[in-house]
Amino acid sequence: MKEITVKELKRKLDKQEDFQLIDVREEFEYEVSNLNGENIPLGGLLLEVGKIATDKPVIIHCRSGARSAAAVMQLEAQGFTQLYNLKGGIVAWAQEIDPNIPVY
């Protein structure tokens, strides 16, 4: 499984690179704090595969990296190839990039 660090994600965001960011946490978690990615909860991910890009990199994140790793594995089994798990998730983002983002 390919992974990306929060610092690498920050660089991509700063450079306005073309990629899709997906947050697989539940909606109530997304409302607490988010990185402005598209919210597709893990439980419904396979029902929403039509929303996931096939023509550019897709970075998937959750709170700590566990659910997003599961999401990457599910999508790889469906044939997706340009997938990256955000190592450490939003917790790592809060620790390394933005300490003001709420973490629960």
Side-chain angles (χ1 to χ4, degrees):
M1 174 183 315
K2 295 176 279 195
E3 290 192 310
I4 185 172
T5 67
V6 291
K7 289 179 181 172
E8 290 169 322
L9 174 59
K10 176 80 164 81
R11 280 195 292 275
K12 287 181 175 298
L13 290 168
D14 289 346
K15 291 180 181 178
Q16 298 181 344
E17 289 184 22
D18 188 23
F19 65 92
Q20 183 179 24
L21 181 62
I22 297 176
D23 185 332
V24 294
R25 297 174 303 145
E26 296 299 318
E27 188 176 326
F28 72 90
E29 295 173 284
Y30 185 86
E31 290 173 2
V32 171
S33 59
N34 66 74
L35 304 177
N36 296 318
E38 186 170 355
N39 185 216
I40 305 175
L42 180 60
L45 187 66
L46 294 180
L47 298 173
E48 302 286 348
V49 291
K51 294 182 178 180
I52 300 167
T54 56
D55 59 343
K56 59 185 170 185
V58 178
I59 300 170
I60 301 178
H61 84 88
C62 62
R63 181 181 180 276
S64 65
R67 279 179 282 178
S68 52
V72 168
M73 288 188 285
Q74 286 181 19
L75 292 171
E76 283 177 342
Q78 298 294 313
F80 287 85
T81 57
Q82 296 189 70
L83 303 171
Y84 297 85
N85 182 36
L86 182 63
K87 190 174 182 179
I90 207 159
V91 170
W93 184 271
Q95 291 171 343
E96 298 181 39
I97 307 296
D98 182 3
N100 296 317
I101 197 164
V103 176
Y104 50 92

